[in-house]
Structures are given as structure tokens and as C-alpha cells.
Amino acid sequence: MRARNAGAMIALLAAAAGCEPKAPAQSPARAEAPRPSAPATAAQPADPIGPRPELPRPQPFTPPAPVVLDGPNGAKVWLLERHTLPIVSVSVAVASGSADDPKGAAGLAHITASMLDEGAGQRSAVELSSAINDLGATLSVGARADGSLATLSVLKKNFGKAFTLLADVVARPRFEAKEWKRVSELWQNDLRKRGDDPTRVSALVSTAALYGPGTPYGHPVEGLLADARSIGLPAVEAFYKTAWRPDRAVITVVGDITRDEVMQAISRDLGTWSAKGAAPAAKGAAPAGTAQAAPAWKPPRLVLVDRPGAPQSVIGVVREGVAASDPRRPLLQLINTALGGSFTSRLNQNLREDHGWSYGAASAFSETKQQGVFVARASVVTEATGPALKEMLAELAKMADSGLTRDELAKVQAHDRADLVSAYETANRTAQRLGTLARLQLPETFDGAASEARQKATLAGLAELARAVDPKAATLVVVGPRQEILPQLQAIGLGEPEAWDVEGQPIQPKKAP
């Protein structure tokens, strides 16, 4: 009885372990001849954690739209209440930026914005900075190509006092001569140092070569050194009066605050902010459906800025893009993400991962009111300048000819959803993004509609748009040591480049004596 029970137990344990029990040993006299076993098909073991779940289609994210209100003296107010954290972020966007710089005064919008927080209202520059720090707030002012922006972020309990400081900066700057001397000198020193930064030089020369001299987008936002030397404080004060006006402003408020609290603060601190004289004509995008005249400037094919002895070159491919309001731009963002807008993009994979020539390669479509630019750029080791530029051109041509793959489309659409969530993740980021929309004169619901268009994009539709990155019509900009890289550029069939300086000016060849 015990032997039977022991045998049954062994069989049970063996079955639980997934193996066959061993037969008890037999004496040679009683051993039976082995019998041929019939072939058996092994059953597939079941997955111990169950079948793989089918993921549902990702839900689109629609950013919350702010409430649009009328502010004092023609200003607009965009309010988005978010009561999850006791934080309030504010941006004041005005529709004047470096594209409105007068001829011969490149950088005027930039230096005007820089002067606004150098003393305002009843406070000097030092007193204003101390007051902001005492409240634990952050306040900044800056200019962009199509507008200027003042931003504030502060705890809810300090909002009233901090908003008063922001209002003084925007509506009551002091423009003191002693502060102007210091700020102007720092500005000019920065412009001098810019020539030592090849990436900044590449960006400057790229836009100058594409748009041409004397055009709204043809100079960098921070200006040119030659013009900075001639700009004085009276010019700054005059530009402020025409640019920083309530009838050209959108005040965006995001965070733990109510409509009544916002409007009371605006009425109290900005009620006397007035607009004097007629507003200047906007230099924004042409109305939809109107043709823009072709520029007289013809961009060069190849530009070289010499940096003798540099261990790296900055290579760039730049061509015309689209305006921020163009319905094609949201879809072009998908193409760019796959091409050079993410770490796993084609350009970065090629130049960094496959060849080891660069720490990173990227591309982008600019976000501007008028027709912007498309640019692809990378810093590469000097000895690989020619081969790297050849690979970059090949990647652009491949994208222009074939568009995205199916796997790339799924990836960039997922990337788009994540980017949009990130842009509206915090009160500060939300205020900055809405301020950007206001600066570009786009509707407050723009991002939701643009994301919906990207999520509905098809491979066929994107393939049609991918020609926007075709390098055949592009300008190539190389910043590096001419002696080492010129033979490399000639070896890939680019011919003789135009020589430009670090301020984006063509260098005239010396005449033979």
C-alpha cells in the first residue's frame, strides 16, 4: 500500500514539475524489451502571465483654451484657471520685435526689452531686482523676431505685489542714462564675443544669406555690432513708445487665480497704460490666399566663414520654410521630427551614431509670422566636414523623395502627443506657449487644431509635403577652417564658396594691384 502511494506521489510531483516520472528499477530478469513509441506533437506551453494585451488607440490631447477678455485701452486678456497648485504665471506679449527694427538699427527691439527691467516705477534697477527676489518671483523680458515678451511666475500669495512690479516694467520703465551705459556696453561686448561661437555665427549667416540684407528677418534678433555702436537711449525710448502699447498687447494669465482677481489687478496696475498715436503697420503674415512678391535677393549656393585652426566645423543647410499660420506647418513638424527633430531622427542617427562625426545633428522649421526658414545643422570634426555635409544632403534628398516610413509616422505622432502634453504641463510652460501664440497673432485654440491635423496625417499626404526639405534649392553654410575644408567641399562637387564674415556680410575679393 505504501509503495503504491509513494509511486503516485512521485507521479504527481513529476507532473507538477513538467517532466515524466522515472520508471522503477527492474531486475535484468524481469526487464521488458523496449516498445517503439508513437510520435507525439509537443503542446505549446501557455504563457504564464497570460496573452499579450491589445493596446487601445491613444487618445488625442486637446490643450485647454483660455477665456478671452477685454483689458484696458485695447489690450486683450487670456485667462486659464488651474487651481491644482498655488502658482500663477503671466506673460505680456506685444506684436513688435526685431522684424520691426529700423534700417541701420538692428537689435533695437532687443536692447529696448533689455532696458525695461533696469529700473521701473518708483524703483531703481537694484531695488526692482531685490523686490522680485524678496517675493520669490521670476521676471524676465526679451524680444523675438515677431514680438516681445515680459513674463512673471510667482506663488499665489505674492501675486498682487509681483504683478505690480511686472506692470511697472511694462508700462513705467525709467530708462536711466547710467543704466543705459552699463547695459549698452554689456550688449556690445556680447556681440563681439558672438564671433567666437561658431553655432551662433552659423545661425546669423544662414538667415542673412537666405533673406538678404536689409530685410526684417535678415538680421539676428540681438542685432549687429556696427548698428549697436550707433544706437542711443533716445532711439530706445522712441521704439518703446511705438512697440510696447496696450492696443498691441495680449496679457496671458495661467494658474491658481480667478477672473475677478485678474481683472482687478490689471485695472489697478495697468489701467493708466495708454497708447499714444496711431499703431505702426504690422509686418505680419500676408492674408491667406495672397501671393507674396518674390524677393529681389538671390541666396548664394555655398557660403564659407573661415575659422583658422578650428577643430570642428558647423555645417548647415537652409532654405525657405512657411509661416506659422500656414496650414501645412503642423504636418511639416511631423516630417521634421523624423528627419532631425528628435534624438532618434535620421540626421542624428547618421552623423552621430553611425559615423561618430558629431555629438548631435538637428533640423527645424522656424515659427514666424512671415515665411520662415527650414534649417538642418550639425557641428562635426573638421576632417569629416565634406563627407558629413554629403551625408546630410543625402538624408534631406531621401526624405524629400520618399517621405516617412509607416513606423516613423507612428513614432512621430506619439512624439507629437508627448510634446504637446509637455508644453501645457505646468502653469509656467502654458503661459509661455500661449504668449508665443499671442506674439505670432495665432488664435488661442491653435495648438489643439494643429495637433488634431497631425494625428490624422497620412503617409501619402506627408510624402507630398516632404519636398519642403529638398536640398536642391537650399543654401549651404559652413563655418570652419577654410584651408582644411575647402578641398573636402570641392571633392563632393560644391565648387568655390562665397566668403562671408562673422557678422553676415560678404567679403569682397581683393583686387589685384
Side-chain angles (χ1 to χ4, degrees), residues 37-292:
S37 57
T41 57
Q44 292 294 328
D47 191 327
I49 62 174
R52 179 181 298 179
E54 293 292 332
L55 295 178
R57 183 174 177 82
Q59 294 297 315
F61 169 67
T62 302
V67 176
V68 179
L69 308 168
D70 290 326
N73 302 315
K76 289 292 182 182
V77 179
W78 291 2
L79 171 62
L80 182 59
E81 297 186 34
R82 294 175 66 167
H83 300 285
T84 51
L85 291 173
I87 296 174
V88 182
S89 292
V90 184
S91 74
V92 180
V94 295
S96 288
S98 64
D100 298 289
D101 289 341
K103 188 175 182 179
L108 183 55
H110 166 79
I111 196 60
T112 299
S114 297
M115 280 296 295
L116 294 189
D117 60 353
E118 297 293 338
Q122 300 300 314
R123 296 174 178 84
S124 66
V126 173
E127 291 170 339
L128 178 61
S129 178
S130 297
I132 294 168
N133 289 336
D134 290 345
L135 295 172
T138 57
L139 190 154
S140 63
V141 190
R144 307 290 188 272
D146 292 304
S148 302
L149 207 66
T151 63
L152 169 72
S153 184
V154 67
L155 289 173
K156 166 64 181 294
K157 65 180 182 179
N158 295 329
F159 169 76
K161 294 179 180 178
F163 188 82
T164 298
L165 299 178
L166 175 66
D168 283 343
V169 166
V170 169
R172 292 172 286 276
R174 296 174 68 159
F175 295 123
E176 295 180 339
K178 63 177 182 178
E179 304 298 346
W180 165 250
K181 183 176 184 300
R182 174 179 57 83
V183 172
S184 179
E185 288 177 353
L186 290 172
W187 175 38
Q188 293 183 47
N189 286 338
D190 178 67
L191 295 180
R192 290 187 188 95
K193 289 167 54 181
R194 180 177 61 191
D196 297 328
D197 186 332
T199 302
R200 293 178 69 186
V201 170
S202 176
L204 183 160
V205 173
S206 295
T207 52
L210 183 65
Y211 289 112
T215 58
Y217 293 161
H219 65 270
V221 172
E222 62 268 25
L224 299 171
L225 183 57
D227 292 356
R229 295 191 183 104
S230 62
I231 293 176
L233 188 55
V236 170
E237 294 180 282
F239 187 86
Y240 165 79
K241 291 178 181 177
T242 60
W244 287 83
R245 307 162 47 103
D247 57 349
R248 305 195 77 199
V250 176
I251 305 167
T252 300
V253 185
V254 179
D256 187 18
I257 197 162
T258 65
R259 172 174 176 169
D260 289 343
E261 289 171 322
V262 168
M263 298 310 291
Q264 287 174 9
I266 292 176
S267 177
R268 180 192 68 221
D269 296 325
L270 290 176
T272 60
W273 185 24
S274 60
K276 297 179 180 178
K283 296 182 180 180
T290 61
Q292 298 186 22

Side-chain angles (χ1 to χ4, degrees), residues 225-447:
L225 183 57
D227 292 356
R229 295 191 183 104
S230 62
I231 293 176
L233 188 55
V236 170
E237 294 180 282
F239 187 86
Y240 165 79
K241 291 178 181 177
T242 60
W244 287 83
R245 307 162 47 103
D247 57 349
R248 305 195 77 199
V250 176
I251 305 167
T252 300
V253 185
V254 179
D256 187 18
I257 197 162
T258 65
R259 172 174 176 169
D260 289 343
E261 289 171 322
V262 168
M263 298 310 291
Q264 287 174 9
I266 292 176
S267 177
R268 180 192 68 221
D269 296 325
L270 290 176
T272 60
W273 185 24
S274 60
K276 297 179 180 178
K283 296 182 180 180
T290 61
Q292 298 186 22
W297 173 260
K298 183 179 180 180
R301 173 57 176 168
L302 176 62
V303 172
L304 174 59
V305 181
D306 189 16
R307 296 188 75 237
Q312 288 187 333
S313 300
V314 179
I315 57 174
V317 179
V318 60
R319 58 164 294 167
E320 75 283 353
V322 296
S325 58
D326 192 304
R328 296 172 295 173
R329 192 183 184 282
L331 302 181
L332 289 173
Q333 282 183 260
L334 292 180
I335 295 169
N336 181 71
T337 300
L339 178 62
S342 65
F343 187 79
T344 57
S345 64
R346 295 185 186 184
L347 288 174
N348 203 55
Q349 180 67 35
N350 187 325
L351 301 186
R352 175 190 163 103
E353 302 298 323
D354 295 346
H355 289 99
W357 292 330
S358 173
Y359 283 115
S363 63
F365 284 91
S366 66
E367 199 170 26
T368 48
K369 283 194 294 188
Q370 298 183 37
Q371 186 180 56
V373 301
F374 166 77
V375 60
R377 184 176 290 122
S379 295
V380 300
V381 292
T382 295
E383 57 269 24
T385 302
L389 184 55
K390 182 179 179 180
E391 288 294 323
M392 179 177 282
L393 293 171
E395 289 290 359
L396 296 178
K398 181 180 177 182
M399 178 63 80
D401 291 341
S402 305
L404 276 66
T405 66
R406 188 168 300 280
D407 286 345
E408 282 179 325
L409 177 58
K411 183 177 73 172
V412 297
Q413 286 178 325
H415 193 282
D416 167 62
R417 291 189 295 271
D419 275 354
L420 190 61
V421 171
S422 177
Y424 286 84
E425 186 175 10
T426 66
N428 192 38
R429 289 182 182 177
T430 302
Q432 289 179 356
R433 180 55 190 165
L434 292 176
T436 297
L437 296 182
R439 173 172 54 82
L440 295 171
Q441 296 180 328
L442 296 172
E444 70 279 3
T445 57
F446 176 83
D447 280 342

